[in-house]
Amino acid sequence: MVKQRRVRVNPGCAVVTSLCCRRGSWKTLTEPAIFAAETSCDCRAPHEKLSITQARRGTPVDRPVRVYADGIFDLFHSGHARALMQAKNLFPNTYLIVGVCSDELTHKYKGFTVMTEHERYEALRHCRYVDEVLRDAPWTLTPEFLEKHKIDFVAHDDIPYSSAGSEDVYKHIKEAGMFVPTQRTEGISTSDIITRIVRDYDVYARRNLQRGYTAKELNVSYINEKKYRLQNQVDRMKEKVRNVEEKSKHFVYRVEEKSHDLIQKWEEKSREFIGNFLELFGPDGTWKQVFQERSGRMLSYALSPRESPCNSPPRELSPLRSPSPPSPPARWYNARPSPPTSPKGASASMSSMSEGDEDEK
């Protein structure tokens, strides 16, 4: 039976649901996967052994193909999720059981883990491809374990896994025809993540000190603590300087933009002013035409003056020199004759005086 997925839309939210392996009941993806009990298979039909060809063609409708994938799953990452996705999609109808080894087995055969076993269990329960989590999984799979949990196939990458005195712990599974390989995701692994942390240890130590962790919690010495705090202060100062530089660049950019606009407006006004000036004072400008018109009128007035009005009183022809007004009668006894400037003037004045005397007599 092919696994189906459908979406149920509620008034307030959308819940994605998937078809569970157990008798077609529905299990929402908003719930974590279940933990395995002593025996998790409740199939009533006989659990006959399947071949990979039969499983890929489709299994009987009474049960899905039970696939088992195990591992440590420390610092659960996308490489783990992609491996489980491949295991989940090996067959048309797959029930994926994931076994997680305990801290005791892991520390004994592989090494120290970052996450505890309970944290690793919970991480697997919330992976969407996992139907069931088996806690305290065995390091080496035995026929009794496979029979107990009704496991049809085991999924893992095809690279030989040497551990616990064996060149490949999955060798007997491969020989039994129950092994289905998956592909590893390049560039991501738990060891890679730990290597990044160790390589940049100072950066993460400073980061956690800045976030409130104590030097004792980080296992940092007193001297290193002071060094990291000083480096954090220097970094904060650098960040402030960068912020000031960014603001200054933004301010300078705005000033340049405004100055560009002002220069452009000034050029437009200048061109307008020059155009108006040339239009007014240029060779064929308005001012020249006005000047020529006024000059022509003034020249015409100078050459042909206007006639006097007809009703003006006539003038008598006057001599070249108009007569001077009559002088009052001279009183010779009071007048003091001015001294003659020349002998002829003196004689003339004497004769005029004698004539005046005779007239009076």
Side-chain angles (χ1 to χ4, degrees):
M1 181 178 179
V2 179
K3 181 179 177 180
Q4 300 176 356
R5 290 184 183 270
R6 65 177 63 173
V7 177
R8 295 176 180 176
V9 180
N10 293 332
C13 63
V15 179
V16 181
T17 59
S18 62
L19 183 62
C20 182
C21 68
R22 297 186 177 185
R23 300 178 183 178
S25 61
W26 289 93
K27 180 188 73 174
T28 61
L29 289 182
T30 57
E31 299 174 358
I34 62 173
F35 284 123
E38 287 297 323
T39 174
S40 57
C41 183
D42 59 354
C43 298
R44 296 180 181 180
H47 195 86
E48 71 279 2
K49 186 177 180 180
L50 298 175
S51 65
I52 295 178
T53 304
Q54 291 174 336
R56 286 176 177 171
R57 282 202 307 261
T59 57
V61 294
D62 58 346
R63 73 175 185 90
V65 179
R66 295 173 65 84
V67 177
Y68 178 81
D70 61 352
I72 310 303
F73 302 105
D74 191 21
L75 298 176
F76 188 80
H77 52 75
S78 62
H80 295 143
R82 288 177 64 86
L84 298 177
M85 179 186 69
Q86 296 176 55
K88 181 69 174 177
N89 292 279
L90 286 172
F91 307 108
N93 186 15
T94 303
Y95 186 77
L96 181 60
I97 306 169
V98 178
V100 183
C101 299
S102 64
D103 287 344
E104 182 181 356
L105 282 177
T106 306
H107 298 168
K108 179 180 179 180
Y109 292 110
K110 190 171 183 178
F112 192 75
T113 58
V114 178
M115 300 171 66
T116 65
E117 59 184 48
H118 298 289
E119 292 170 341
R120 293 184 283 117
Y121 297 155
E122 288 298 323
L124 266 299
R125 287 188 69 197
H126 292 83
C127 178
R128 61 182 298 181
Y129 309 113
V130 179
D131 296 303
E132 186 176 317
V133 175
L134 196 149
R135 295 169 288 187
D136 193 12
W139 197 262
T140 303
L141 303 180
T142 62
E144 294 77 17
F145 175 83
L146 299 175
E147 179 62 27
K148 177 182 178 180
H149 294 280
K150 307 299 182 190
I151 296 171
D152 294 311
F153 300 100
V154 176
H156 200 273
D157 62 80
D158 202 15
I159 302 174
Y161 194 87
S162 59
S163 179
S166 175
E167 295 181 357
D168 189 0
V169 295
Y170 297 104
K171 182 178 179 180
H172 63 288
I173 305 293
K174 295 175 182 178
E175 292 174 351
M178 299 177 64
F179 186 85
V180 184
T182 58
Q183 299 296 323
R184 293 178 63 90
T185 302
E186 297 297 332
I188 183 69
S189 68
T190 302
S191 299
D192 291 340
I193 295 174
I194 295 175
T195 301
R196 297 177 201 171
I197 297 173
V198 172
R199 181 187 60 198
D200 300 327
Y201 168 77
D202 290 351
V203 176
Y204 295 114
R206 289 167 50 192
R207 170 182 176 270
N208 284 5
L209 278 175
Q210 193 172 2
R211 294 193 174 190
Y213 288 87
T214 63
K216 185 177 180 181
E217 291 173 330
L218 297 174
N219 195 22
V220 174
S221 65
Y222 178 81
I223 296 176
N224 285 336
E225 178 190 5
K226 297 304 179 184
K227 181 183 72 173
Y228 293 151
R229 293 191 184 280
L230 179 61
Q231 289 175 345
N232 287 335
Q233 293 179 359
V234 172
D235 288 345
R236 285 195 293 269
M237 291 298 297
K238 289 181 179 179
E239 186 66 24
K240 289 182 180 179
V241 171
R242 280 195 295 267
N243 292 335
V244 172
E245 289 179 353
E246 290 294 330
K247 291 180 180 179
S248 301
K249 289 180 182 178
H250 182 65
F251 176 74
V252 171
Y253 175 76
R254 290 182 60 186
V255 169
E256 289 179 352
E257 188 177 8
K258 288 187 177 182
S259 61
H260 178 72
D261 294 339
L262 291 174
I263 291 173
Q264 187 176 2
K265 290 180 181 180
W266 181 82
E267 290 178 352
E268 293 176 358
K269 293 294 182 181
S270 299
R271 286 193 292 268
E272 183 180 356
F273 175 77
I274 293 172
N276 294 335
F277 182 84
L278 293 176
E279 184 179 357
L280 186 62
F281 297 102
D284 299 327
T286 306
W287 181 258
K288 183 178 180 181
Q289 296 177 3
V290 172
F291 180 75
Q292 289 177 352
E293 292 177 359
R294 295 192 64 180
S295 299
R297 286 198 297 268
M298 292 175 64
L299 186 61
S300 62
Y301 291 158
L303 296 177
S304 55
R306 291 182 298 177
E307 296 180 355
S308 58
C310 298
N311 55 0
S312 60
R315 288 184 178 180
E316 295 180 359
L317 295 177
S318 59
L320 295 177
R321 291 184 63 181
S322 59
S324 59
S327 58
R331 296 181 180 179
W332 58 272
Y333 49 86
N334 289 334
R336 293 182 179 179
S338 58
T341 57
S342 62
K344 291 183 178 180
S347 60
S349 62
M350 291 296 294
S351 60
S352 62
M353 289 177 61
S354 62
E355 290 178 357
D357 292 339
E358 290 178 357
D359 291 336
E360 288 180 359
K361 289 180 179 180

